[in-house]
Amino acid sequence: MRVLSKTAPVTRAYIRYASTESAAQKAGQAVNNATSAVKSQGLTKALCNLYKTVTSPLPASIKSPLNKVVGILEPVLYYSEVVYHLGKQVVVRQNFTLPGKVDFAAAETQLFKVLEYVKAKNIKSIKDIPVEQWKRGAIKTFELSSLFVVGEIVGRQNLIGYKD
């Protein structure tokens, strides 16, 4: 054992043993691996595999409640992923676009027209609306609902149910 004198300063050479990759490169590779896992397996399976990897060293007393939560969340994640992909296909095939500023402005002006009409008629409660307007509203509601049903039948190309 080596004994240092009390007067000699102890110096230590600080040497950084750097790896060939920086931390940023390693993090980037981890993100790429996770992204490729999500693309190949799907989000639900990738998250479940990540959960299994993270919780493997945990004791059973902690894993048990977590497994119950994951058991509930797994179908929710799966079906939300299915709805997302189905919605994406519908948007592409129907050529849907997001509404622009012009569409919002038109909806806003229409809403203000309705509000001004209600103010002009001095309608303060439902009881103030005359029976004639109730009848007209019921007829319009029936027309719109019947048009919806006819559109559903045309869209399905069948009167009852879907074609196999």
Side-chain angles (χ1 to χ4, degrees), residues 2-10:
R2 185 173 164 214
V3 177
L4 298 173
S5 67
K6 292 182 179 180
T7 57
V10 178

PDB file of all heavy atoms in Angstrom, residues 2-10:
ATOM      1  N   ARG A   2       0.497   2.188  -0.749  1.00  0.00           N
ATOM      2  CA  ARG A   2       1.288   3.390  -0.909  1.00  0.00           C
ATOM      3  C   ARG A   2       0.785   4.464   0.036  1.00  0.00           C
ATOM      4  O   ARG A   2      -0.414   4.723   0.112  1.00  0.00           O
ATOM      5  CB  ARG A   2       1.159   3.863  -2.348  1.00  0.00           C
ATOM      6  CG  ARG A   2       2.006   5.012  -2.690  1.00  0.00           C
ATOM      7  CD  ARG A   2       1.911   5.282  -4.174  1.00  0.00           C
ATOM      8  NE  ARG A   2       2.428   6.598  -4.402  1.00  0.00           N
ATOM      9  CZ  ARG A   2       2.009   7.437  -5.300  1.00  0.00           C
ATOM     10  NH1 ARG A   2       1.038   7.094  -6.071  1.00  0.00           N
ATOM     11  NH2 ARG A   2       2.543   8.614  -5.443  1.00  0.00           N
ATOM     12  N   VAL A   3       1.657   5.112   0.725  1.00  0.00           N
ATOM     13  CA  VAL A   3       1.292   6.151   1.676  1.00  0.00           C
ATOM     14  C   VAL A   3       1.707   7.485   1.093  1.00  0.00           C
ATOM     15  O   VAL A   3       2.837   7.660   0.668  1.00  0.00           O
ATOM     16  CB  VAL A   3       1.971   5.930   3.042  1.00  0.00           C
ATOM     17  CG1 VAL A   3       1.625   7.057   3.987  1.00  0.00           C
ATOM     18  CG2 VAL A   3       1.601   4.584   3.603  1.00  0.00           C
ATOM     19  N   LEU A   4       0.779   8.421   1.086  1.00  0.00           N
ATOM     20  CA  LEU A   4       1.077   9.746   0.559  1.00  0.00           C
ATOM     21  C   LEU A   4       1.507  10.644   1.702  1.00  0.00           C
ATOM     22  O   LEU A   4       0.989  10.555   2.819  1.00  0.00           O
ATOM     23  CB  LEU A   4      -0.149  10.338  -0.121  1.00  0.00           C
ATOM     24  CG  LEU A   4      -0.672   9.573  -1.335  1.00  0.00           C
ATOM     25  CD1 LEU A   4      -1.977  10.183  -1.801  1.00  0.00           C
ATOM     26  CD2 LEU A   4       0.339   9.575  -2.455  1.00  0.00           C
ATOM     27  N   SER A   5       2.441  11.492   1.404  1.00  0.00           N
ATOM     28  CA  SER A   5       2.850  12.448   2.438  1.00  0.00           C
ATOM     29  C   SER A   5       1.785  13.516   2.572  1.00  0.00           C
ATOM     30  O   SER A   5       1.015  13.766   1.650  1.00  0.00           O
ATOM     31  CB  SER A   5       4.198  13.075   2.085  1.00  0.00           C
ATOM     32  OG  SER A   5       4.043  13.885   0.946  1.00  0.00           O
ATOM     33  N   LYS A   6       1.769  14.146   3.721  1.00  0.00           N
ATOM     34  CA  LYS A   6       0.742  15.149   3.974  1.00  0.00           C
ATOM     35  C   LYS A   6       0.953  16.412   3.166  1.00  0.00           C
ATOM     36  O   LYS A   6       0.013  17.161   2.939  1.00  0.00           O
ATOM     37  CB  LYS A   6       0.730  15.504   5.457  1.00  0.00           C
ATOM     38  CG  LYS A   6       0.250  14.371   6.312  1.00  0.00           C
ATOM     39  CD  LYS A   6       0.207  14.782   7.745  1.00  0.00           C
ATOM     40  CE  LYS A   6      -0.299  13.628   8.596  1.00  0.00           C
ATOM     41  NZ  LYS A   6      -0.357  13.969  10.003  1.00  0.00           N
ATOM     42  N   THR A   7       2.139  16.659   2.729  1.00  0.00           N
ATOM     43  CA  THR A   7       2.396  17.898   2.011  1.00  0.00           C
ATOM     44  C   THR A   7       2.242  17.757   0.509  1.00  0.00           C
ATOM     45  O   THR A   7       2.050  18.746  -0.170  1.00  0.00           O
ATOM     46  CB  THR A   7       3.822  18.389   2.296  1.00  0.00           C
ATOM     47  OG1 THR A   7       4.738  17.369   1.925  1.00  0.00           O
ATOM     48  CG2 THR A   7       3.972  18.754   3.755  1.00  0.00           C
ATOM     49  N   ALA A   8       2.299  16.557  -0.017  1.00  0.00           N
ATOM     50  CA  ALA A   8       2.232  16.376  -1.472  1.00  0.00           C
ATOM     51  C   ALA A   8       0.778  16.458  -1.932  1.00  0.00           C
ATOM     52  O   ALA A   8      -0.080  15.788  -1.367  1.00  0.00           O
ATOM     53  CB  ALA A   8       2.834  15.052  -1.874  1.00  0.00           C
ATOM     54  N   PRO A   9       0.496  17.320  -2.881  1.00  0.00           N
ATOM     55  CA  PRO A   9      -0.873  17.404  -3.370  1.00  0.00           C
ATOM     56  C   PRO A   9      -1.228  16.152  -4.192  1.00  0.00           C
ATOM     57  O   PRO A   9      -0.399  15.638  -4.920  1.00  0.00           O
ATOM     58  CB  PRO A   9      -0.874  18.655  -4.250  1.00  0.00           C
ATOM     59  CG  PRO A   9       0.522  18.825  -4.670  1.00  0.00           C
ATOM     60  CD  PRO A   9       1.380  18.252  -3.568  1.00  0.00           C
ATOM     61  N   VAL A  10      -2.430  15.711  -4.002  1.00  0.00           N
ATOM     62  CA  VAL A  10      -2.890  14.545  -4.751  1.00  0.00           C
ATOM     63  C   VAL A  10      -3.605  15.054  -5.992  1.00  0.00           C
ATOM     64  O   VAL A  10      -4.561  15.808  -5.908  1.00  0.00           O
ATOM     65  CB  VAL A  10      -3.856  13.703  -3.895  1.00  0.00           C
ATOM     66  CG1 VAL A  10      -4.373  12.519  -4.691  1.00  0.00           C
ATOM     67  CG2 VAL A  10      -3.180  13.258  -2.631  1.00  0.00           C
TER      68      VAL A  10
END
